[in-house]
Amino acid sequence: MTAAAAPSRTLVAGVGNVFLGDDGFGVEAVRVLAGQDLPAGVEVTDVGIRGVHLAYRLLDGYDTLILVDATARGGPPGTLYLIEAPEPGSAPGPAGAAMDGHRMSPDAVLALLGTLCAGTGAVPPRRILVVGCEPGTVEEGIGLSPPVAAAVPGAVRMVGELVRDAAVV
């Protein structure tokens, strides 16, 4: 008799600083997503600004990582993006990023993850996706701007489709 394969593990991580306006997009999106019915093996977490914690958590073995974050790419505020991230460790992170655990961008987290995996023998997620939203403002203040707040349901739908898509999990 063949043992059933363990379900793949997916971590959906909301990234951002809720005290910097639209930078809190990822945190708000995963707050909504956490109330959704998701497939077995999918975990949703609010990482906030704790990038080092995220890198260490990924050492527990996830097949897929979906980061949800404010992502400035030049579009109108509220524009959603789906970005396939490079494999951890394949590109250097910003200089000194690993030194400040509260100001680590997702690319710095992935660079740290590559270093941690190399040192521990752990395997990074095979696929890393970013569901990003173009911010309108990242000035000090609590709450999302209207166009970014309006994009949250679309991001939640996008992540839901990704975690249900057999090609991702």
Side-chain angles (χ1 to χ4, degrees):
M1 182 145 112
T2 307
S8 63
R9 294 181 68 203
T10 298
L11 181 64
V12 180
V15 179
N17 186 336
V18 298
F19 298 111
L20 294 177
D22 290 343
D23 194 53
F25 167 79
V27 172
E28 177 61 16
V30 298
R31 183 192 66 75
V32 174
L33 190 65
Q36 306 288 313
D37 185 28
L38 299 171
V42 175
E43 299 171 37
V44 177
T45 187
D46 167 2
V47 174
I49 59 172
R50 299 177 316 274
V52 172
H53 295 296
L54 174 59
Y56 277 101
R57 181 165 180 181
L58 290 169
L59 294 177
D60 289 339
Y62 291 91
D63 301 295
T64 303
L65 168 64
I66 301 173
L67 292 170
V68 185
D69 195 9
T71 308
R73 295 176 65 93
T79 301
L80 293 175
Y81 306 106
L82 177 59
I83 304 160
E84 182 103 22
E87 191 173 314
S90 64
M99 301 304 263
D100 186 349
H102 291 291
R103 293 178 192 235
M104 290 183 67
S105 62
D107 59 334
V109 170
L110 297 178
L112 175 59
L113 175 62
T115 300
L116 293 172
C117 286
T120 63
V123 177
R126 66 178 170 77
R127 190 157 190 210
I128 300 170
L129 302 168
V130 178
V131 173
C133 181
E134 186 73 41
T137 179
V138 290
E139 303 287 322
E140 284 187 22
I142 298 175
L144 302 177
S145 66
V148 171
V152 169
V156 169
R157 275 191 305 278
M158 186 183 292
V159 172
E161 290 168 6
L162 289 169
V163 299
R164 289 176 183 90
D165 180 353
V168 174
V169 291

